[in-house]
């Protein structure tokens, strides 16, 4: 190899080295930045593009107000270094409902929060938050129907929603099964947000509700749909359309999400006391809740990933499945760890005193 050739070879090798090295560097920095964020929250601004959503007082459009609030919620959440925010839309574009869920599933998100505005032909006002489920009454069905009718504007909707008819109350039933596993957590988030709406924001609390929303059906994580307020009510419409109102709604929603994630981190207990200091009280039984849903499942271990001693309790229209009943909190913590290891990643501890459900916090403080 003459000197010139050697030099050429050397430069080429160097270039390859530099290329490989920088590639590695990019990879490393990508993995570390992904690792830094503990939680991923998908924010979904309802409607968009050729779908204005509801049109209210002074022709205020739901899609515009929902987007503004959603972007602001994201801004607030991003202040927390632990939270990564993904939007289903950041501009005035139309996104198919099933694609919104896909975005969240692909991101393996911890939460899916869909933001909307309500409308009614009366002077109704106030905020309500929905989780996926069977509508308890016509009013809940109507809210879901209005939100679901969006799919009629999509191409190939019959194919993508497998014959689902947004106008038929019966057509909704099949939708609820997918979210079963996340119902408790979705309810928890929904009630935190609703209570913040009434206490912090002084909105009328219309409550946590269930109905068959298509957009919630496609996600594999706790999911809620917020109807911030009514754009058909003059006072509320003006508030929702104002910068002040939007930023206050956004701040409250972001705080609610933050509180939920914090509770999740602490296994739904606000402040777990040093466990060993707690005296064992025979009247109190701790259990690990594995799942809940409308399906009645045989409590055989093969139905519960090999876990034995499963207990099934009917609460209203739902069945709750518990594992590891004990008066000893350290023992139940171990049971929870086992359940998580078996794949029940969202298994959490519940407490009962003389058969009545109480908060774990209260159970631990009982002398
Ligand atoms: Zn909507």
């Amino acid at each position: 190899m003459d000197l010139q050739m050697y030099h050429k070879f050397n430069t080429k090798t160097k270039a390859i080295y530099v290329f490989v090295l920088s590639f590695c560097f990019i990879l490393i920095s990508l993995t570390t930045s992904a690792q830094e964020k503990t939680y991923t929250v998908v924010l979904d601004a309802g409607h968009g593009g050729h779908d204005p959503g509801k049109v209210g007082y002074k022709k205020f459009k739901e899609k515009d107000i929902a987007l503004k609030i959603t972007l602001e919620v994201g801004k607030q959440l991003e202040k927390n270094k632990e939270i990564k925010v993904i939007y289903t839309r950041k501009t005035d574009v139309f996104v198919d409902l099933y694609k919104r869920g896909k975005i969240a599933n692909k991101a393996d998100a911890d939460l899916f929060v869909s933001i909307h505005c309500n409308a009614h032909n009366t002077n109704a006002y106030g905020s309500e938050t929905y989780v996926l489920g069977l509508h308890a009454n016509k009013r809940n069905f109507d809210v879901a129907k209005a939100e679901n009718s969006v799919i009629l504007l999509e191409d190939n909707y019959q194919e993508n929603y497998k014959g689902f008819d947004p106008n038929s109350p019966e057509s909704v039933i099949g939708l609820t099964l997918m979210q079963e596993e996340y119902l408790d957590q979705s309810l928890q988030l929904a009630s935190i947000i609703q209570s913040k709406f009434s206490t912090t924001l002084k909105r009328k609390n219309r409550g946590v509700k269930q109905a068959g929303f298509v957009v919630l059906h496609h996600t594999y994580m706790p999911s809620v749909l917020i109807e911030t307020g009514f754009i058909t009510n003059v006072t509320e419409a003006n508030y929702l359309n104002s910068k002040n109102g939007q930023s206050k709604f956004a701040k409250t929603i972001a705080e609610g999400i933050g509180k939920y994630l914090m509770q999740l981190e602490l296994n739904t207990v606000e402040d777990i006391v040093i466990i060993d200091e707690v005296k064992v009280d025979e009247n109190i039984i701790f259990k690990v809740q594995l799942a809940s849903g409308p399906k009645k499942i045989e409590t055989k271990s093969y139905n519960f990933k090999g876990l034995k001693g499963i207990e099934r309790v009917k609460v209203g229209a739902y069945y709750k499945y518990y594992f590891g009943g004990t008066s000893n909190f350290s023992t139940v913590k171990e049971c929870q760890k086992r359940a998580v290891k078996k794949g029940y990643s969202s298994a959490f501890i519940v407490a009962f005193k003389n058969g009545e459900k109480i908060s774990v916090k209260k159970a631990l403080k009982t002398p």
Side-chain angles (χ1 to χ4, degrees):
M1 200 187 283
D2 64 23
L3 198 67
Q4 210 186 348
M5 255 183 88
Y6 173 75
H7 182 72
K8 232 181 174 177
F9 171 78
N10 208 20
T11 329
K12 217 174 162 189
T13 323
K14 250 191 209 160
I16 291 170
Y17 260 109
V18 170
F19 174 73
V20 171
L21 270 179
S22 50
F23 184 68
C24 286
F25 178 70
I26 292 169
L27 259 186
I28 289 165
S29 51
L30 269 179
T31 9
T32 33
S33 68
Q35 271 169 355
E36 273 166 17
K37 309 270 184 188
T38 316
Y39 301 107
T40 302
V41 176
V42 171
L43 296 178
D44 174 49
H47 316 276
H50 61 262
D51 166 28
K54 288 140 199 154
V55 180
Y57 173 67
K58 280 193 180 165
K59 300 241 167 4
F60 293 155
K61 293 188 188 90
E62 180 185 3
K63 66 168 185 179
D64 297 330
I65 294 171
L67 182 62
K68 282 180 187 156
I69 295 176
T70 304
L71 292 176
E72 190 57 35
V73 173
K75 241 197 234 166
Q76 298 287 334
L77 286 179
E78 275 163 345
K79 286 183 189 166
N80 185 329
K81 288 191 174 59
E82 299 265 298
I83 301 174
K84 180 182 173 185
V85 178
I86 292 174
Y87 302 88
T88 55
R89 69 177 182 102
K90 285 185 95 170
T91 54
D92 185 17
V93 290
F94 182 75
V95 183
D96 293 346
L97 289 191
Y98 76 96
K99 284 186 187 156
R100 296 170 190 244
K102 265 192 177 168
I103 292 171
N105 294 340
K106 212 177 143 199
D108 196 19
D110 298 283
L111 270 186
F112 179 85
V113 179
S114 192
I115 297 172
H116 294 253
C117 303
N118 227 328
H120 204 249
N121 56 11
T122 63
N123 247 335
Y125 66 98
S127 310
E128 51 197 32
T129 300
Y130 283 87
V131 302
L132 188 67
L134 302 177
H135 41 268
N137 52 49
K138 191 183 172 295
R139 171 76 190 119
N140 292 4
F141 171 69
D142 287 342
V143 174
K145 187 172 112 178
E147 299 294 4
N148 292 340
S149 66
V150 174
I151 65 170
L152 303 175
L153 302 174
E154 296 178 12
D155 300 326
N156 305 326
Y157 94 85
Q158 270 156 331
E159 204 176 297
N160 291 327
Y161 301 98
K162 298 192 181 81
F164 170 74
D165 175 8
N167 295 317
S168 150
E170 288 76 31
S171 199
V172 168
I173 292 166
L175 289 181
T176 57
L177 297 169
M178 311 277 277
Q179 270 283 309
E180 246 179 73
E181 204 183 326
Y182 312 104
L183 182 68
D184 275 308
Q185 283 168 296
S186 304
L187 283 171
Q188 195 186 343
L189 172 65
S191 47
I192 291 173
I193 290 173
Q194 273 308 124
S195 95
K196 279 201 165 283
F197 276 156
S198 67
T199 52
T200 316
L201 215 52
K202 308 277 179 258
R203 308 312 301 173
K204 181 182 176 188
N205 184 356
R206 298 175 62 93
V208 173
K209 299 176 175 182
Q210 280 188 301
F213 290 92
V214 170
V215 72
L216 300 181
H217 162 60
H218 287 87
T219 62
Y220 293 103
M221 69 221 52
S223 304
V224 300
L225 185 145
I226 302 170
E227 294 285 0
T228 48
F230 285 76
I231 49 170
T232 38
N233 175 293
V234 179
T235 321
E236 202 154 72
N238 280 325
Y239 186 67
L240 280 162
N241 195 53
S242 71
K243 219 176 153 71
N244 174 44
Q246 287 162 3
S247 94
K248 280 191 175 148
F249 261 114
K251 209 165 166 246
T252 310
I253 295 169
E255 280 170 8
I257 293 172
K259 188 176 174 191
Y260 165 84
L261 291 175
M262 206 174 72
Q263 287 190 2
L264 195 71
E265 202 160 300
L266 298 171
N267 284 327
T268 73
V269 186
E270 271 168 347
D271 48 332
I272 287 181
V273 206
I274 308 294
I275 298 154
D276 293 332
E277 281 179 16
V278 181
K279 276 190 237 120
V280 174
D281 179 347
E282 300 292 324
N283 296 321
I284 287 172
I285 301 285
F286 296 105
K287 292 172 189 177
V288 177
Q289 186 170 324
L290 300 176
S292 70
K295 257 193 294 182
K296 188 176 179 180
I297 302 166
E298 281 308 307
T299 56
K300 305 277 185 207
S301 64
Y302 54 75
N303 283 334
F304 291 88
K305 304 180 201 233
L307 294 173
K308 286 182 183 138
I310 303 296
E311 187 190 351
R312 182 184 60 216
V313 177
K314 196 168 184 209
V315 183
Y318 282 84
Y319 293 97
K320 298 200 173 191
Y321 297 91
Y322 299 115
F323 169 61
T326 169
S327 295
N328 190 318
F329 191 69
S330 322
T331 313
V332 83
K333 282 296 285 179
E334 289 306 313
C335 292
Q336 186 196 22
K337 271 190 210 156
R338 258 189 79 198
V340 171
K341 239 181 165 175
K342 290 273 186 188
Y344 290 100
S345 58
S346 53
F348 57 94
I349 297 170
V350 289
F352 299 86
K353 187 173 184 180
N354 301 319
E356 210 174 295
K357 196 170 171 188
I358 58 170
S359 78
V360 176
K361 195 174 159 186
K362 204 171 158 195
L364 289 172
K365 279 188 179 159
T366 305

